[in-house]
Amino acid sequence: MATRVSIATKRSGKGDVKDPKLASKGESRIEWAARSMPVLTRIQARFAKEKPLAGLRLAACLHVTSETANLALTLQAGGASVALCASNPLSTQDDVAAALVDAGVPTFAIKGEDQATYYRHIAAVLDTAPHLTMDDGADLVSVLHKERRELLSGVAGGTEETTTGVIRLRAMAVEGVLAYPIVAVNDAMTKHLFDNRYGTGQSTIDGIVRATNRLLAGAVFVVAGYGWCGRGIAMRARGMGAVVVVTEIDPLRALEAVMDGFQVMPMAQAAPLGDFFCTVTGNTSVVREEHFRRMKDGAIVANSGHFNVELDLPALAKMAKARRPVRDFVEEFTLPGGKRIVVLAEGRLVNLSAAEGHPSSVMDMSFANQALASEYLAARKGDLEPRVHSVPREIDQEIARLKLAAMGARIDRLTPEQKHYLSSWQEGT
Ligand code: ADE
């Protein structure tokens, strides 16, 4: 897709967005999202009073959505100077990006930007010489460590949003190359139990349905990977009436899928059965030539994992004698015998490319973790080792408490007798 560079914003150093005139539409979307983000809104109000991030420059590489905008405004309310770029070339909401520039958050993100622009935008955000980084997939951290090492001494800490990013950062820590502490937001219970499961579950089905307008009831839906995201997609596809097949490489997860009532089999066996395929493994070439060859005519293939490598699209392109776009985010590849394979959103995150990503009420908790993890890092500048850290349990529990309260759900408290019982070993049958 062609790259568009906004001259006006580029010149003023305030970002690079598709069209500054989209700002008022973006503003309404940001406000709409905020209505379903009560925990983050509450944190924003406290940050505005206490300014825990005063004087800090924060570089964020996240999906540029209305939910992310609310996070950026929260960090800004806390006193940080925030610069934002996209964590995926196809996930940006251009109107939201324009609104953020208006709100004083330099934003470098254009939906459909090419690879060179994507990395130029990461470089632009790093040019702010950040004290804190906030990443979704670890591309920012990777560029910082590979190409901008002169900036590393100024960075006090960072956060990481997603499973794939945490895996990359742990690999860096094991190799001893991670230069500063990073809090793995993904590992918080109030993140992955809800965002990865219910968020990915709903938004992935949303992306596939918006792109294709196909009926799931009665269709065979193959989910590759039964982590939290796979569990969510399988659960929601079943809810829409699909016959769900799960593929896995981990015996425990596969066993769980079997006992959750799904058919489990290797991809080679699932390939000729599926009407829809969706990968969420975090691995590469999960659906590849041998599988494409066995698929039915018209099989629909999508990815909802962080990177587009889960589908071997270069192999599909080589196999195909023709390819053509048939709808927005829908491309058809025709193989020599005439069979058609349909790929959604160029194999990029289908939930953020063809739909709007996870709903705000689930991002409320993920981004409450991001905001509180930034505050935690800011308060401990220089005190934490350069490795991957967990979100402190108190933060996780506090977010769960605030979310329950916002949802009007109350819970019991332990009685003194119960507290005593839990701390003693003498009482038995
Ligand atoms: N990741 C998944 N859904 C998202 C959203 N709505 N905003 C930002 N990041 C996301």
Side-chain angles (χ1 to χ4, degrees), residues 115-196:
Q115 191 91 342
T117 310
Y118 176 77
Y119 280 103
R120 188 162 50 74
H121 285 163
I122 289 182
V125 161
L126 286 175
D127 284 344
T128 62
H131 302 111
L132 294 175
T133 63
M134 189 172 277
D135 223 339
D136 186 334
D139 277 348
L140 183 88
V141 170
S142 171
V143 172
L144 179 56
H145 282 72
K146 283 198 274 205
E147 293 168 24
R148 303 296 298 272
R149 297 194 61 80
E150 78 281 4
L151 298 173
L152 282 171
S153 61
V155 183
T159 61
E160 170 53 53
E161 170 77 5
T162 202
T163 318
T164 297
V166 172
I167 291 169
R168 291 177 87 187
L169 293 167
R170 290 223 160 92
M172 289 175 76
V174 167
E175 272 186 33
V177 296
L178 187 63
Y180 59 88
I182 300 209
V183 176
V185 163
N186 184 69
D187 292 357
M189 305 271 246
T190 46
K191 199 280 183 179
H192 66 263
L193 287 182
F194 305 95
D195 168 315
N196 301 27

Side-chain angles (χ1 to χ4, degrees), residues 62-68 93 136 161 195 200 203 351-352 356-360 363 367:
L62 301 168
H63 300 296
V64 179
T65 66
S66 53
E67 292 76 25
T68 299
Q93 296 170 0
D136 186 334
E161 170 77 5
D195 168 315
T200 308
S203 61
N351 60 336
L352 280 141
E356 294 170 64
H358 304 351
S360 316
M363 294 312 296
F367 285 166

Side-chain angles (χ1 to χ4, degrees), residues 13-325:
K14 287 187 181 154
D16 184 14
V17 299
K18 182 177 174 189
D19 181 359
K21 290 196 288 299
L22 296 172
S24 78
K25 188 170 169 224
E27 229 173 83
S28 311
R29 272 176 93 163
I30 295 168
E31 280 168 25
W32 173 255
R35 289 193 215 173
S36 299
M37 303 182 84
V39 178
L40 191 64
T41 303
R42 204 173 147 150
I43 293 169
Q44 188 177 121
R46 178 171 69 75
F47 273 22
K49 277 198 219 125
E50 298 175 6
K51 303 282 178 202
L53 307 177
L56 295 179
R57 289 187 298 273
L58 191 152
C61 178
L62 301 168
H63 300 296
V64 179
T65 66
S66 53
E67 292 76 25
T68 299
N70 281 291
L71 171 62
L73 297 175
T74 301
L75 301 167
Q76 194 186 48
S81 300
V82 182
L84 176 65
C85 63
S87 59
N88 185 287
L90 213 48
S91 60
T92 298
Q93 296 170 0
D94 288 316
D95 47 5
V96 168
L100 276 168
V101 171
D102 268 12
V105 177
T107 299
F108 301 82
I110 300 171
K111 187 169 178 121
E113 62 195 11
D114 62 19
Q115 191 91 342
T117 310
Y118 176 77
Y119 280 103
R120 188 162 50 74
H121 285 163
I122 289 182
V125 161
L126 286 175
D127 284 344
T128 62
H131 302 111
L132 294 175
T133 63
M134 189 172 277
D135 223 339
D136 186 334
D139 277 348
L140 183 88
V141 170
S142 171
V143 172
L144 179 56
H145 282 72
K146 283 198 274 205
E147 293 168 24
R148 303 296 298 272
R149 297 194 61 80
E150 78 281 4
L151 298 173
L152 282 171
S153 61
V155 183
T159 61
E160 170 53 53
E161 170 77 5
T162 202
T163 318
T164 297
V166 172
I167 291 169
R168 291 177 87 187
L169 293 167
R170 290 223 160 92
M172 289 175 76
V174 167
E175 272 186 33
V177 296
L178 187 63
Y180 59 88
I182 300 209
V183 176
V185 163
N186 184 69
D187 292 357
M189 305 271 246
T190 46
K191 199 280 183 179
H192 66 263
L193 287 182
F194 305 95
D195 168 315
N196 301 27
R197 181 168 36 173
Y198 303 116
T200 308
Q202 180 168 322
S203 61
T204 299
I205 301 295
D206 185 14
I208 292 171
V209 171
R210 281 199 214 191
T212 63
N213 194 28
R214 286 280 169 85
L215 186 72
L216 294 188
V220 176
F221 194 112
V222 181
V223 182
Y226 205 65
W228 289 109
C229 296
R231 290 174 179 112
I233 296 171
M235 178 200 291
R236 293 301 178 238
R238 174 155 66 189
M240 298 287 280
V243 175
V244 178
V245 173
V246 170
T247 71
E248 245 305 336
I249 47 89
D250 180 295
L252 281 168
R253 287 182 174 179
L255 183 59
E256 188 183 350
V258 170
M259 295 218 184
D260 285 345
F262 298 111
Q263 295 181 41
V264 175
M265 61 185 75
M267 185 58 82
Q269 201 180 326
L273 306 179
D275 298 296
F276 296 89
F277 293 82
C278 187
T279 50
V280 261
T281 66
N283 213 329
T284 190
S285 298
V286 175
V287 178
R288 49 188 182 266
E289 180 169 349
E290 62 188 284
H291 307 127
F292 292 126
R293 283 204 188 290
R294 305 187 71 178
M295 285 179 187
K296 294 186 207 173
D297 178 35
I300 293 171
V301 182
N303 166 54
S304 214
H306 188 78
F307 289 120
N308 61 344
V309 296
E310 305 209 16
L311 309 174
D312 189 355
L313 294 181
L316 181 62
K318 253 198 211 156
M319 292 162 71
K321 65 172 193 203
R323 57 192 282 186
R324 65 180 183 117

